[in-house]
Each structure stands twice: as C-alpha cells, then as structure tokens.
Amino acid sequence: MNSEDILHQVADEVAVCTKCDLHHSRKHTVPGEGPPDAEIMFIGEGPGFHENEQGRPFVGAAGKFLEQLLASISMQREQVFIANVVKCRPPGNRDPQTEELAACSDYLERQIMAINPKVIATLGRFSLQRYLPNAKISQVHGQAVRVKGRLIFPMYHPAAALHQPSLKVTVEADFAALPKLVQEAAKIPEYVDQTTQETEEEPKQLSLF
Ligand code: URA
Ligand code: SF4
C-alpha cells in the first residue's frame, strides 16, 4: 500500500471507530488532511465545534490563525498535513482524557509513518506530550528536538495565542523558523525513512538549529 492508500484506510477506520467514548457525541470524525508526502505535519489537540460539524481539522478561529501563520512563511494549508491527537470532538472542547488519547494513538502513528514528514510541529501540550511527556511548552517551544528518530518542533497551540495575545509574537517567531528547519532536516543522517522502525531513544537536543 502506498502512503495515500494508508491515509485513506486510516480515515475509513476512523469514520466508524468506537474505540473510545468520544464516538458517542461526535457528529463527524476528523481524521486529518493534507498531501501524503507533506514535509511538515502539524498535530493539534482535537476537533472543536466547527471541525466536528465539517469533518475537517482547523477550520475555526484557530485554523484561520494557522493559515495566517502559514502565509507568513509563504505556505498554504494544502501543502502541509494537519491532524489531531484525537479524531473525535471532546464534548464542550474539554481536554482529551488519557484513555481517549491511548485509544486514538495508533491512527495518528500510522499517519505519521505513512507521511514520514521531515518535521512534526506539535501544537499545544497534548501532541507535545506524545514526544516529550515531561516537557513544559513554555520552556521547549521553538526548539527542535529529535525524538524517536523524528524531528519534533514544539509550538504553542494557535488557540492559546488567540486567548492570550501576548503569545502571538512568540508563535509567529517560532513559525518563522520552520522553513529553515525543514531544509536542515533533510540533511540529518539519522532521518528515518519509511521502512525504519521508530526507536526508543532518549530525546536529543539538536545543536544544529
Ligand atoms: N484545535 C485543534 O487542536 N484541532 C483542530 O482541529 C481545531 C482546533
Ligand atoms: Fe476512535 Fe479516536 Fe474517535 Fe475515540 S477519538 S472514537 S479512538 S477515532
């Protein structure tokens, strides 16, 4: 199966998934979208109201801001893959719970393996937790790290910047580093290819950036 087929298959499975309680209240599943060969993958938290209505990620206010941020580095959302750690909306936009994150994790993992992005930009603390369980976003944002063979770029969630305008400049500055990071990522010898299993190595700070 090629990457595109795998992504379709994941989306098909998600569409009928009942692995956690979030399936009871969802209207549409939101598997994520973007090109199967995207160089950058954004991983947010979970669908909100508008995403649940439309079945597409980041189509509300946070999505607008994400699109503006992409435009600031001359990119469009169609060029990147946008996904979430849970594919169904947590009621009232509450935090996803541990069991829900665990139940949904495999879908995201398969998407990551299929796309094999050069850079994974985590948006907010739940996607950050996947790679750096003990990290504080205020301390690690904007600093690329290699975790489990992948280049992770922790960022604040765009919604956080909307709620706390003082973060806006920080998010914009972190975003500005992305294009160079993608270029540099291609040069990392350890950069995993699609056939490589992820390893359980310790997070490594990249002095390169
Ligand atoms: N916030 C998220 O984390 N994901 C979305 O898809 C929309 C808003
Ligand atoms: Fe399945 Fe994930 Fe939706 Fe839970 S959040 S029902 S695990 S697709």
Side-chain angles (χ1 to χ4, degrees), residues 1-8 10 31-43 79-84 87 107-120 150 191-195 198:
M1 260 203 298
N2 64 28
S3 310
E4 195 169 359
D5 293 340
I6 295 170
L7 293 176
H8 280 302
V10 170
E33 63 186 27
D37 58 350
E39 294 191 317
I40 307 176
M41 185 164 179
F42 289 94
I43 306 178
Q79 295 174 276
V80 299
F81 200 93
I82 306 175
N84 283 302
K87 314 299 194 190
Y107 297 126
L108 179 58
E109 198 52 41
R110 285 158 63 199
Q111 291 174 317
I112 294 168
M113 292 299 275
I115 296 161
N116 198 28
K118 291 202 169 73
V119 175
I120 293 178
R150 297 210 174 266
Y191 175 57
V192 288
D193 69 29
Q194 219 150 301
T195 56
E198 298 199 339

Side-chain angles (χ1 to χ4, degrees), residues 44-48 51 57-58 62 84 157:
E45 185 174 319
E51 291 76 20
F58 283 93
N84 283 302
H157 196 291

Side-chain angles (χ1 to χ4, degrees), residues 116 118 146 149-151 183-193 196 201 204 206 208-209:
N116 198 28
K118 291 202 169 73
R146 197 163 64 84
R150 297 210 174 266
L151 193 55
Q183 272 179 14
E184 296 297 328
K187 297 184 204 153
I188 300 174
E190 299 92 338
Y191 175 57
V192 288
D193 69 29
T196 311
E201 66 195 301
K204 229 185 251 171
L206 281 179
L208 206 56
F209 306 104

